Amino acid sequence: ETGVTQTPRHLVMGMTNKKSLKCEQHLGHNAMYWYKQSAKKPLELMFVYSLEERVENNSVPSRFSPECPNSSHLFLHLHTLQPEDSALYLCASSQDAPSGANVLTFGAGSRLTVL
Amino acid sequence: AQRVTQPEKLLSVFKGAPVELKCNYSYSGSPELFWYVQYSRQRLQLLLRHISRESIKGFTADLNKGETSFHLKKPFAQEEDSAMYYCALDGKLTFGQGTILTVHP
């Protein structure tokens, strides 16, 4: 599959569970992003990785832990989440490191529900 | 701090009518602005960016630095334009809250 692929598409977890979201891009891009999309808030940037190095961490709680083992894969590890963390988590990638003229390609998202 | 404001959460027009989706921004440097669109059951995708100065699907957007605005316009709306539209700023993309556009037949 081409583009940005996110798995799983839907995830339901309890507050004590540990799970991970996976993102894979087949575009040869060098930067990858995690965004959170909640019902009542704008899209919120969580993390940015450029060439596997984290370049942005927007005051995200430590219960969200990103991992970027290579430029094609990005994970978001989840543990002891709260119900308010329920949201659509979007992964995106861009050709170059974050800069003014970057165009992002988005995945379809992982819908997370925390019970 | 950079910020993007889309004042209209919902916008409804009839087919063939002009449409304008408003976007205002706050940014200390020279801004790079984008419009992204999300059609029903599809991914968020780029519609246009101001640096390209192009018209996509009949939409245009002009950067007005004096008014710090980047409004999206189309002279004759079509039903297939119904979607969620996001204005975004800068390379890491600060997004506005989005405007749901509904074009009625």
Side-chain angles (χ1 to χ4, degrees):
Chain A
E1 186 181 337
T2 58
V4 179
T5 305
Q6 290 187 242
T7 53
R9 292 293 308 278
H10 300 274
L11 178 63
V12 180
M13 60 186 289
M15 288 191 284
T16 57
N17 291 159
K18 286 186 181 182
K19 297 285 184 184
S20 296
L21 305 180
K22 179 183 176 182
C23 177
E24 188 172 359
Q25 58 97 1
H26 308 272
L27 301 167
H29 287 175
N30 293 315
M32 296 186 78
Y33 309 71
W34 279 117
Y35 282 87
K36 178 182 178 182
Q37 186 175 30
S38 306
K40 297 183 179 180
K41 290 185 180 181
L43 279 162
E44 300 172 74
L45 179 65
M46 299 176 72
F47 302 104
V48 182
Y49 276 81
S50 177
L51 296 172
E52 301 136 53
E53 185 177 329
R54 192 189 307 181
V55 297
E56 186 92 13
N57 178 349
N58 273 8
S59 303
V60 179
S62 59
R63 57 186 184 269
F64 294 93
S65 174
E67 179 190 1
C68 188
N70 55 62
S71 59
S72 298
H73 293 85
L74 183 65
F75 295 89
L76 188 62
H77 302 302
L78 318 167
H79 70 98
T80 59
L81 294 192
Q82 304 298 311
E84 59 264 28
D85 296 323
S86 299
L88 182 68
Y89 289 84
L90 291 173
C91 176
S93 68
S94 63
Q95 177 66 56
D96 299 311
S99 68
N102 254 339
V103 173
L104 268 60
T105 301
F106 284 88
S110 292
R111 173 72 62 186
L112 173 66
T113 303
V114 182
L115 301 176
Chain B
Q2 57 189 60
R3 183 183 297 170
V4 176
T5 303
Q6 292 179 250
E8 304 140 329
K9 199 164 187 178
L10 301 168
L11 183 61
S12 290
V13 300
F14 285 99
K15 177 182 174 181
V19 63
E20 181 180 58
L21 291 87
K22 291 183 167 45
C23 172
N24 289 90
Y25 66 90
S26 173
Y27 188 64
S28 57
S30 184
E32 297 287 348
L33 284 145
F34 307 78
W35 277 98
Y36 279 74
V37 62
Q38 189 167 28
Y39 300 103
S40 178
R41 301 181 187 277
Q42 294 189 28
R43 303 175 183 208
L44 190 59
Q45 59 187 292
L46 177 71
L47 179 62
L48 57 80
R49 48 181 167 165
H50 94 269
I51 197 171
S52 300
R53 292 189 161 273
E54 51 194 353
S55 173
I56 304 294
K57 299 185 179 183
F59 284 97
T60 59
D62 291 318
L63 177 60
N64 185 322
K65 291 186 178 181
E67 295 182 359
T68 60
S69 69
F70 187 58
H71 303 325
L72 183 68
K73 300 176 184 179
K74 184 169 182 175
F76 307 103
Q78 303 300 314
E79 290 177 69
E80 55 265 29
D81 296 328
S82 297
M84 170 75 96
Y85 290 81
Y86 290 98
C87 183
L89 169 67
D90 200 22
K92 290 171 293 194
L93 297 190
T94 298
F95 283 88
Q97 290 184 289
T99 298
I100 299 173
L101 172 66
T102 303
V103 181
H104 299 284

